[in-house]
Each structure stands twice: as structure tokens, then as C-alpha cells.
Amino acid sequence: MDTPFGLQGFVDGTKLNGKSRLPRIPSNIELLVKQNSLPHGSRAFHGSLPVSESTKGAYLNRPLSPHLPLKKPQLSATYSISHRIFGAALASAILLVPLSMKFSTLLYA
Amino acid sequence: MAESPNPLGFLWKHVEDVKEHWKKNFAFVDYYKKTLGWEKPLPKWTDADVEEFISSDPVYGPQLKAIQESRKYVAFGATLGAAQLGGISLKYSKSPHGFLLATGFGALCGGVLGAEVADHVKKLYKVDKQGVNLRFLYWWEDKTRGNLE
């Protein structure tokens, strides 16, 4: 057994294995070579139309889906985010007060 | 007086009741007022001073010693918990921060469990732990501020 899975890519000389690497090309874009191997009579969908070499660059560099700077900041999203932040803070406070009470009596003198 | 001249009398009475209720809920803050809320902080004590208190006080000395020994249980439990959850996450987790969080959570859970074990082994559940710490603190205050003898 070599490097543990959690440390792969962080320890020198280790690489993520090929299976877990993200595919570079989105699945709905097919390359021209593949297009030629389609059987006769089948019509390609819009998404699988062959793309020219010049437009392919724009497709491949496009931002992926939860891309926050593309979206206009809205009040409802801000409420949602702050709701989660305050919830996490409140939960940790409720958990930490009794824990700190428990350990403070052990560590005092 | 049977009839209050204030038309909001009922409301004020209710507010007083609620205040009492919350005072009771936050009664645990009293310990922190007594330990941390000194106007003039006490001088620092050393382990030798604690030992002196333990040997001088026949009632609270042994209790404080038992509390000190229970720390070993906590440390052992925390080590065990950290090794257990940390080991599992090191084997299966895909992220380093997941490994860190799991190790920390394992240490926390193991520490709490170790403290519970110590409570039962040392019979500390019978002891007022905050009270013992306060006994030492007041002894130290008397000693350093010259109220003793």
C-alpha cells in the first residue's frame, strides 16, 4: 500500500489515479473524429453537433455551473447564506458551552 | 395592595417572572464570575502550591487529586478516539481537511467518554467539581493575600 487516499496529490511524487481525474471535455461536446463513426441514418442532436476548432476553445474554457460571479447578488440568496452561517454558529455555541464547562473543572487547578 | 394603579402592572409582573426564569437558566455563569471575574487578579500558582493544598485539606484535597488524575483518563480517551476516527478517515477520506476534522471530532468524543469513565472510576459524580476548584481558589486567595493565620 502506498500513500493513503486522502493524501494523494499532496505528498510529493503522488498523483491522483486516472479514474478519479475529472474529464477535460464536457460529455455533450463530441470531437470531429467521433462524429465520423456515427452509423448511417442517425441524426445528431444539437448538443452533439460538430464544433469547429476555433469555437471549441470557447466551449472548453467556459465557467462551470455553480459560478457565483456570473449571478447577480440577491436578497434571498444572502438570507439563505447568512441563515446557514448563523445556524452553524449557534449550533457550535450550544455544543461548546457544556463541553467547555465539563473540561474547565478538570483543568482549572 | 390589591389593585395596581399601573395599567401595565400585569405586564411588569410577567417581565419580572421571565427575568427570574432566565436568571435561573444562566446560574452556571456564577462559577465564571467567581473564577474569572476578579477585580484584582490573583497571583499565579504553581503545581507545588496545588500539592500543598491537597496535603493540607483533608476533605477537598483528595477530591482535587482525583480530579487531577481524571485528566489522564481524558487524555487517554482523546488519543484513542483521535487514532480511531483519524485512522478511518486517513484510509477512506478524499480530503485532508476531512481527515483533520475527523481526527478532532474523534479526540473530542474520546475525551468526553474518558471523562465519563473517570467520573465512575474515581467516584467523581459524587463530587462538586466546581466547588472543589473554588475551595482551592479561596485557599490560595487567603494564602497570598495574608488572611491565613
Side-chain angles (χ1 to χ4, degrees), chain A residues 29-32 48-60:
Chain A
I29 297 173
E30 288 181 21
L31 297 177
L32 286 167
S48 58
L49 278 176
V51 220
S52 72
E53 283 299 320
S54 53
T55 47
K56 212 183 283 169
Y59 270 93
L60 295 181

Side-chain angles (χ1 to χ4, degrees), chain A residues 20-66:
Chain A
S20 66
R21 193 188 298 149
L22 289 171
R24 293 274 307 282
I25 302 169
S27 59
N28 61 345
I29 297 173
E30 288 181 21
L31 297 177
L32 286 167
V33 190
K34 228 178 166 187
Q35 199 62 232
N36 293 339
S37 66
L38 279 173
H40 284 294
S42 72
R43 289 210 324 200
F45 287 106
H46 170 71
S48 58
L49 278 176
V51 220
S52 72
E53 283 299 320
S54 53
T55 47
K56 212 183 283 169
Y59 270 93
L60 295 181
N61 286 330
R62 81 196 200 284
L64 294 175
S65 76

Side-chain angles (χ1 to χ4, degrees), chain A residues 72-94:
Chain A
K72 185 184 163 194
Q74 287 174 73
L75 207 55
S76 52
T78 314
Y79 282 155
S80 168
I81 292 164
S82 52
H83 182 258
R84 180 156 295 194
I85 288 171
F86 280 115
L90 186 63
S92 36
I94 286 172

